[in-house]
Amino acid sequence: MNETKRPNGSSAMPTMNRRSLMLGAAGLALGATAFGAYRPALAQSKPSKLTVIGDTAPWKGTIIQDAIPAFTRETGIEVEYVQLPNEPMVTRARAELTGGGTTSFDVVQMGASMIGWMHPYMADVNELMKTAGGRYAADFGMDEFSPASIDLASYDGVQRGIPYRSTTYILHYRKDLLEAAGIAQPPRTFAEYREAAKRLTEAGAPNRYGVGICARQGGAIVDHFGPYLLSSGGGFYDLAKRDIWINNENSVAALDYVAGLINADKSIPPDALTWEWDEIIANAQNDRYAMGLVLNASATPINKAEASRTRGLWAYSTVPGAQSAADSRSSLGGWCFAVPERSANKEWAFEFVQFITSREWAKRSMEKGNASARLSVLNDPEIASSYAWASTAAEQLKTARANPRDPNWGALEAQLRAGLSKAYLGQASAKDALDEVASGWERAMRRAG
């Protein structure tokens, strides 16, 4: 087991080596789990091992370190969680799922960007529920998941996975710094947000800026732009109607606004042009910005990690709206766990999925950086007392919207990354940058038919 170092030198959660880790056998000697031994009443013969494939992100700490050993103790089934970087994970999943044979893996992490192409190969959750015979068959609590999370795990009205992690952007802010700058409450509108950013930048000069954002032309740039885009009334496109919204008036206004924070106001650190997921956390920990529209789950390492210089100083609110608080919208992402239709162990694989996404483990997962998709967890008084962001995230999920989930999104998103980067670098106006993106999307949609 290796330990990942964050950019600020602090230790993140332990992660596995690149290929895989076999868990479970060692846990057999640990005795009965706190959740009690049980024998699922499944018709399918019990396998000796289940295989899961997923990415290398550390938010799965509770699954790998705690839940899998407990599952093995209770069932006698070992679980191999093969962790791969995202692209190799997708490549392996695509090769096996489209190959026509039985898959070597029984469960797969399915992200929001994957369901567009993956859904035909995943078992229907409602059908799996009909044959479920384990501990959670009678009272799994599907109604406790946020509707947005269920929608994210569904395609054409068919649910293909069980949500585990729901990420949405919320306003992180330093209440102490806002009060010192004479700002009594968190910004509710873009105008208030911009004014607060200017005042906080001036007060924090030369090292602390008003706003943090991931502005590198990489995996985080589109999602960090999302809350500004959606709260402005803008959007991406409607593939069914071939309507492109990315360069409409509202979308252009959103990009012009963010580019203005960077270039005109200089309220965002210049090095934010190199920031992605880890950097937005590390720079909050190191007191580089006073507020930002940041992932809900990032609040845990920012506000609770011992290495954070700003530990315990952050507060949370829903993202501001363009004209009023009622305009508040946020990007929605996350991960679910799905069972391939051609898994040799579908019933036991689903039993494992229900186990790790159950109420008990969903609640415990918050300890190691997860953002549970269960509203019952986010609104739990015990969780709220330990994770101040949780109830805000539950509120923001009501208006959160997922990025497009069609199979072409990956290629179209790459073009949008380039357009946003041009505007942030001052190489093109917001309108010119998004007009170029829209033209590229039109050509891509024509080629796709």
Side-chain angles (χ1 to χ4, degrees), residues 47-120:
S48 61
K49 186 181 81 170
L50 296 172
T51 299
V52 184
I53 64 169
D55 74 349
T56 55
W59 52 262
K60 302 180 296 295
T62 295
I63 296 175
I64 293 173
Q65 297 159 24
D66 304 313
I68 286 178
F71 181 80
T72 298
R73 289 195 296 271
E74 296 189 12
T75 65
I77 300 173
E78 295 178 345
V79 178
E80 182 184 21
Y81 204 122
V82 181
Q83 295 193 96
L84 299 167
N86 192 67
E87 289 305 317
M89 178 194 71
V90 171
T91 298
R92 175 173 171 179
R94 191 185 294 273
E96 293 199 33
L97 291 170
T98 60
T102 301
T103 57
S104 67
F105 52 89
D106 302 289
V107 177
V108 61
Q109 269 183 238
M110 185 167 65
S113 64
M114 299 163 65
I115 193 171
W117 68 267
M118 192 178 280
H119 68 94

Side-chain angles (χ1 to χ4, degrees), residues 202-224:
E202 181 179 358
N207 295 319
R208 185 198 306 119
Y209 290 75
V211 171
I213 189 173
C214 290
R216 179 181 179 273
Q217 188 179 326
I221 191 171
V222 171
D223 285 349
H224 274 255

Side-chain angles (χ1 to χ4, degrees), residues 146 166-172 294-300 303-304 314-318 362-363 366-367 370-398:
S146 74
S166 278
T167 52
T168 190
Y169 288 74
I170 59 176
L171 174 62
H172 295 50
V294 182
L295 272 179
N296 52 352
S298 297
T300 297
N303 204 36
K304 292 178 74 68
W314 294 86
Y316 310 95
S317 181
T318 52
K363 187 172 180 179
M366 300 286 282
E367 300 170 2
N370 191 32
S372 176
R374 284 185 181 264
L375 293 178
S376 59
V377 170
L378 295 178
N379 288 318
D380 183 285
E382 184 180 348
I383 292 296
S385 66
S386 297
Y387 304 91
W389 57 268
S391 58
T392 299
E395 181 66 22
Q396 193 73 69
L397 282 170
K398 295 177 181 178

Side-chain angles (χ1 to χ4, degrees), residues 423-447:
Y424 292 168
L425 290 167
Q427 297 172 347
S429 68
K431 185 176 188 316
D432 288 346
L434 294 182
D435 280 346
E436 183 178 350
V437 172
S439 295
W441 285 6
E442 288 174 358
R443 293 191 296 270
M445 288 179 182
R446 285 197 300 269
R447 288 195 298 270

